Amino acid sequence: MGQGGEDPFSDVRHEFGAQHTAEKLRVVEEYLPLYTTALKNQPFQLHYVDAFAGAGICNIRDGETRVEIEGSASIAMRCEPPFHKMVFIEKERKHIDRLRAMLDAAGRRNYELKQGDANEYLPDVMRQLGRDRAIVFIDPYGMQLAWSTLESVARSKVADVWYLFPLSAFYRQAARDASGIDEDKKRALTRMMGTDEWERDFYAPKRQAGLFDDAPGYEREAGPMQMLEWVTRRLERIFPYVAEPKVLYAHRSSGAQGAPLFALYFMISNDKPNAIALAKKFAHHSLKRA
């Protein structure tokens, strides 16, 4: 805090999102204390890892106005019982500085801040966990998360994962007409999903309208929900358990449901039946209550 109680970071906000942002954060807020309460007496430490941590505060659109709500990092900071250690990864220096100020003001010393790309830092963080346990929250900016990074989380065998999949970015990049996908878009889609099988699975030759038409090319036959089912099957290849995702929609001012924007996934890397059963119970409760 500055002189007179002023917040020197008052202008550092994440200005993004709307009702779907609040929805995902309510789910995480429900889940974290269930997790730390159930495992607080176990012979291992509990970690919270936020791969795209932001500034700790979100400024979201609510109808015609904007409102300020806590971000995932702030929610994790005040979780009770607390985590033994919290790791926040964020590219923006101003966001890192604000997170540090918030943590210090709250008297928290059990944290580590990493400024940089989550695809570089997250695999190392997972390797360092050893036999400890972790909640990993992954809310990427667009399609920035690489599949190989997700694989590193799955290999850890010690993480419960909340992953906000960028569904609208996925189906927009995978354009209806295949001619609209340039090489950069192809690489981005393949990097995010770890395979180029989406080309074969989503696209089919166009039906030729007439005898003298040009070569028909290819078009995407899979709609957003079919694409999401494909994503789920991909995730099930690397995680022992993947819950049915909670689809978050755009909400029009009239209250009508709009286009699907994101899919909030819960995944478990631990393949032990008892661990899966407990995590499933907490996740289903959190998704129902939020």
Side-chain angles (χ1 to χ4, degrees):
M1 292 288 186
Q3 293 182 350
E6 295 179 358
D7 182 356
F9 298 97
S10 61
D11 61 338
V12 181
R13 300 288 189 274
H14 250 163
E15 294 198 3
F16 74 99
Q19 293 180 39
H20 61 272
T21 303
E23 284 185 65
K24 74 181 180 192
L25 292 170
R26 284 196 296 268
V27 173
V28 174
E29 187 172 15
E30 285 282 340
Y31 188 83
L32 296 187
L34 294 174
Y35 177 88
T36 57
T37 299
L39 300 180
K40 65 181 180 180
N41 295 322
Q42 296 299 313
F44 46 72
Q45 292 198 331
L46 307 178
H47 299 242
Y48 173 79
V49 181
D50 202 323
F52 298 84
I57 297 292
C58 302
N59 197 324
I60 69 170
R61 186 176 65 256
D62 184 7
E64 298 301 316
T65 62
R66 300 196 75 87
V67 297
E68 186 174 283
I69 64 173
E70 288 185 310
S72 56
S74 295
I75 291 169
M77 287 179 203
R78 63 173 176 77
C79 176
E80 292 292 340
F83 289 90
H84 294 99
K85 184 176 180 179
M86 297 179 292
V87 179
F88 302 102
I89 305 171
E90 170 57 43
K91 271 189 172 182
E92 293 286 340
R93 166 53 63 183
K94 62 182 180 180
H95 293 169
I96 286 285
D97 291 342
R98 195 187 204 293
L99 288 173
R100 181 178 289 108
M102 292 174 68
L103 287 155
D104 291 346
R108 303 300 294 268
R109 295 292 180 266
N110 59 332
Y111 69 85
E112 186 175 358
L113 296 172
K114 294 181 177 292
Q115 184 187 2
D117 186 348
N119 292 302
E120 297 178 8
Y121 281 115
L122 190 54
D124 286 339
V125 171
M126 301 312 297
R127 281 192 291 269
Q128 292 168 14
L129 288 173
R131 296 181 180 273
D132 287 344
R133 300 292 187 270
I135 296 290
V136 180
F137 183 60
I138 303 175
D139 183 0
Y141 306 122
M143 296 169 54
Q144 291 187 0
L145 183 72
W147 184 260
S148 59
T149 303
L150 207 52
E151 287 179 315
S152 73
V153 178
R155 283 195 302 269
S156 74
K157 300 296 184 184
V158 297
D160 290 0
V161 185
W162 289 100
Y163 174 29
L164 192 71
F165 182 79
L167 179 57
S168 64
F170 187 48
Y171 64 74
R172 287 173 182 169
Q173 290 294 307
R176 179 68 67 178
D177 192 317
S179 64
I181 308 177
D182 60 24
E183 290 302 317
D184 286 342
K185 290 181 179 180
K186 284 184 180 181
R187 282 192 292 271
L189 288 162
T190 297
R191 176 175 178 267
M192 184 174 75
M193 297 312 308
T195 181
D196 61 4
E197 292 175 4
W198 58 269
E199 296 184 58
R200 178 199 66 199
D201 294 342
F202 295 168
Y203 290 85
K206 293 180 181 178
R207 293 180 177 85
Q208 216 164 349
L211 181 62
F212 299 104
D213 287 346
D214 293 333
Y218 286 80
E219 64 182 355
R220 174 164 56 78
E221 293 190 331
M225 293 301 102
Q226 292 170 304
M227 297 171 74
L228 189 60
E229 291 174 1
W230 183 91
V231 171
T232 300
R233 292 195 296 272
R234 284 287 299 159
L235 292 169
E236 288 173 340
R237 294 185 187 184
I238 61 173
F239 285 95
Y241 175 77
V242 179
E244 181 180 352
K246 177 182 178 67
V247 180
L248 305 178
Y249 295 87
H251 294 275
R252 302 190 181 98
S253 57
S254 65
Q257 184 171 276
L261 299 180
F262 299 94
L264 182 61
Y265 277 100
F266 177 72
M267 305 174 293
I268 303 170
S269 68
N270 192 328
D271 57 6
K272 295 180 180 177
N274 289 345
I276 291 176
L278 186 65
K280 282 173 62 175
K281 176 183 175 181
F282 293 159
H284 292 168
H285 171 86
S286 301
L287 288 163
K288 185 177 179 180
R289 286 285 302 275

